[in-house]
Amino acid sequence: MLTVQDKNFDKLSQKFAKNIYGTTKGEIRAAVLWRDLAPQIAALGDKPLRILDAGGGFGFFSQKLAAMGHEVVLCDISEQMLFQAKQQIDASDVPLNISLVHCPIQALSPEKQGQFDVILCHAVAEWLIDAHSTLQGLLTLLKPQGIFSLMFYNKEAMRFHSLVSGNFDYVKRDMKVKKKVGLTPTHPLYIEDVRQWFNQWQLSMICQSGVRVINDYLKHHLPPNFDTQQLIEMELLYSQREPYLSLGRYVHFLAKNP
Ligand SMILES: C[S@@+](CC[C@H](N)C(=O)[O-])C[C@H]1O[C@@H](n2cnc3c(N)ncnc32)[C@H](O)[C@@H]1O
């Protein structure tokens, strides 16, 4: 197997499932991504699509899309993540056509895996040593007119969140810590850089959304009638408006191959 120094989630797989998907953060992520993706997938027609979930982890979207009858390839470098994916796929009520591929994104190729109608790459780019070249390579697997869904951790939002938390020394160090721990991404990205990459790759942008544009900035003391469902509605409402979009902890770009 090609060796890479990108972040393997073997030691974080349980924490990731619990801290992200088991929380409001996960609900917001799923709601925004699905609001953006669902109509584009529907627009590709009735036939089953070939979908690649690159760095797919336990395959939250892989499972959702496979349950709709699509053929999914889920690739990840973490055996633990793929183990969780397999357990969930085996426990599913409906048969899921998902192939689990234990390899780095950098080892995928159109010769081996073929090309795909849709490629998802969610919350992976910010863990990569070289996101630009890895994503450029990944796009060789996208069919003409195929859809690319990229969600990445937003460095400017990371700075803003640290500022409003009063972590000024951390901001002065450009949010660098001596020892990287937990789920704080090692290589956050600037929105403008990723926009330029999309231009360079001649992708036509379908939509751009901020993910968690409000949740992470909520005050500690909330009104007694505070309601999580209303928060999710507000997240959806403001996710595509500036300046909220640019303050999303993650940003989702959905684009079409020429
Ligand atoms: C934060 S998790 C996101 C998982 C999934 N995409 C999601 O949104 O639920 C990042 C995943 O990327 C995987 N990963 C990191 N670098 C990778 C690489 N070069 N190739 C494949 N997977 C990679 C990790 O092992 C981990 O499972």
Side-chain angles (χ1 to χ4, degrees):
M1 193 169 97
L2 184 76
T3 53
V4 286
Q5 289 171 313
D6 302 337
K7 180 73 184 181
N8 181 313
F9 264 51
D10 275 348
K11 293 202 178 78
L12 289 171
S13 62
Q14 299 293 336
K15 194 173 178 181
F16 175 68
K18 191 164 123 286
N19 290 18
I20 303 294
Y21 278 100
T23 65
T24 305
K25 288 181 183 177
E27 282 187 63
I28 296 167
R29 174 197 284 223
V32 174
L33 290 175
W34 195 243
R35 185 268 321 268
D36 294 353
L37 265 172
Q40 299 306 322
I41 288 183
L44 290 174
D46 289 337
K47 61 173 183 16
L49 302 170
R50 292 202 77 225
I51 299 177
L52 172 64
D53 196 352
F58 66 80
F60 179 84
F61 276 104
S62 289
Q63 294 179 48
K64 202 172 164 72
L65 291 160
M68 293 166 66
H70 301 301
E71 176 200 335
V72 180
V73 173
L74 191 172
C75 123
D76 206 287
I77 44 172
S78 161
E79 255 181 314
Q80 281 307 316
M81 279 293 206
L82 293 176
F83 179 68
Q84 271 193 45
K86 180 158 174 15
Q87 283 184 323
Q88 295 182 16
I89 294 164
D90 289 348
S92 163
D93 297 337
V94 288
L96 301 177
N97 182 356
I98 303 180
S99 317
L100 301 177
V101 182
H102 182 216
C103 81
I105 294 172
Q106 293 88 338
L108 299 170
S109 72
E111 292 75 29
K112 280 184 269 175
Q113 278 79 25
Q115 282 192 309
F116 294 86
D117 302 289
V118 179
I119 297 182
L120 312 178
C121 188
H122 296 162
V124 183
E126 60 273 16
W127 298 101
L128 302 174
I129 299 286
D130 186 347
H132 179 265
S133 75
T134 302
L135 297 178
Q136 186 160 303
L138 179 62
L139 285 169
T140 62
L141 286 98
L142 188 62
K143 288 184 189 173
Q145 301 295 306
I147 303 282
F148 183 43
S149 165
L150 178 76
M151 185 182 84
F152 58 91
Y153 196 73
N154 174 6
K155 184 157 183 185
E156 214 56 81
M158 185 185 195
R159 190 187 334 266
F160 186 60
H161 187 263
S162 306
L163 285 169
V164 295
S165 306
N167 291 330
F168 303 129
D169 289 339
Y170 183 55
V171 171
K172 280 185 198 159
R173 290 198 306 271
D174 198 30
M175 286 84 74
K176 289 199 174 59
V177 283
K178 285 197 192 90
K179 191 170 173 290
K180 298 282 179 191
V181 280
L183 289 167
T184 303
T186 43
H187 299 85
L189 299 166
Y190 286 116
I191 299 180
E192 259 326 300
D193 290 345
V194 184
R195 276 204 190 110
Q196 276 183 22
W197 299 351
F198 272 50
N199 282 338
Q200 184 200 335
W201 300 328
Q202 298 181 333
L203 295 170
S204 40
M205 197 69 90
I206 298 168
C207 72
Q208 311 180 31
S209 303
V211 176
R212 287 165 36 202
V213 299
I214 307 162
N215 179 73
D216 295 31
Y217 309 108
L218 282 174
K219 301 276 183 191
H220 290 297
H221 297 289
L222 294 166
N225 62 347
F226 178 80
D227 171 40
T228 306
Q229 281 317 307
Q230 256 190 354
L231 167 64
I232 296 172
E233 281 167 29
M234 289 293 160
E235 288 276 357
L236 287 166
L237 187 64
Y238 288 96
S239 59
Q240 296 182 331
R241 288 191 205 171
E242 289 295 1
Y244 312 101
L245 192 168
S246 293
L247 290 175
R249 292 308 288 275
Y250 288 83
V251 169
H252 182 219
F253 281 178
L254 193 66
K256 197 171 225 175
N257 218 11

